[in-house]
Amino acid sequence: MATEKGDTRPIRTEGDVVAARQAVRGWAVEAGFSLIDQTKLVTAASELARNTLVHGGGGAMRMELLSQGGRRGIRLVFEDQGPGIPDVEQALRDGYTTASGMGLGLGGSRRLVNEFDIATETGQGTRVTVIKWK
């Protein structure tokens, strides 16, 4: 898998969440994603960026444009140094919410992308990596 380009964006304010969402949409358009796939990726990015801000106390989003065997994709990595997620299985369960996001939660975000990985340690922060392939 090759990375064609990358960019990192801070997520420290509500405005940063909006800017992250706009950046992801721009990259999805550039990569040639369908409108449906653009919407899925932007929705997942919005939810994960909000989690980074609200639950992680802020952090960053890394975007990478990928190519592999003739296909293109976008990898998003959301990272914070917050309290971590004590029970990942519960957090991934449908309907589980702790705040006022879009209500999708981590489980909903996972369904909107092709690849989903979460690494978290209590007191050390959380890293969520997602990939959406065209």
Side-chain angles (χ1 to χ4, degrees):
M1 182 173 359
T3 302
E4 294 182 16
K5 71 176 184 173
D7 187 25
T8 300
R9 307 237 171 186
I11 299 177
R12 304 220 179 279
T13 67
E14 186 63 36
D16 291 340
V17 172
V18 172
R21 192 169 49 234
Q22 292 170 338
V24 169
R25 180 169 302 282
W27 279 39
V29 168
E30 177 187 331
F33 280 51
S34 70
L35 183 57
I36 290 170
D37 283 343
Q38 290 173 36
T39 302
K40 287 178 178 180
L41 184 61
V42 169
T43 301
S46 182
E47 186 76 11
L48 296 170
R50 186 165 311 286
N51 284 354
T52 300
L53 178 63
V54 172
H55 301 295
M61 174 188 75
R62 173 111 181 117
M63 302 186 304
E64 296 173 324
L65 185 59
L66 307 173
S67 60
Q68 181 182 51
R71 68 180 180 162
R72 296 180 93 192
I74 296 176
R75 175 171 36 217
L76 304 174
V77 181
F78 297 86
E79 198 158 15
D80 66 62
Q81 302 301 312
I85 303 171
D87 187 342
V88 173
E89 289 307 313
Q90 180 183 23
L92 288 169
R93 197 170 303 133
D94 284 347
Y96 179 77
T97 182
T98 58
S100 59
M102 297 167 68
L104 291 174
L106 290 173
S109 297
R110 179 172 59 179
R111 283 192 303 281
L112 293 171
V113 297
N114 302 109
E115 298 179 33
F116 181 96
D117 180 69
I118 185 164
T120 186
E121 188 174 331
T122 304
Q124 300 297 311
T126 301
R127 182 177 62 249
V128 178
T129 304
V130 300
I131 299 176
K132 182 75 176 166
W133 292 103
K134 177 176 175 270

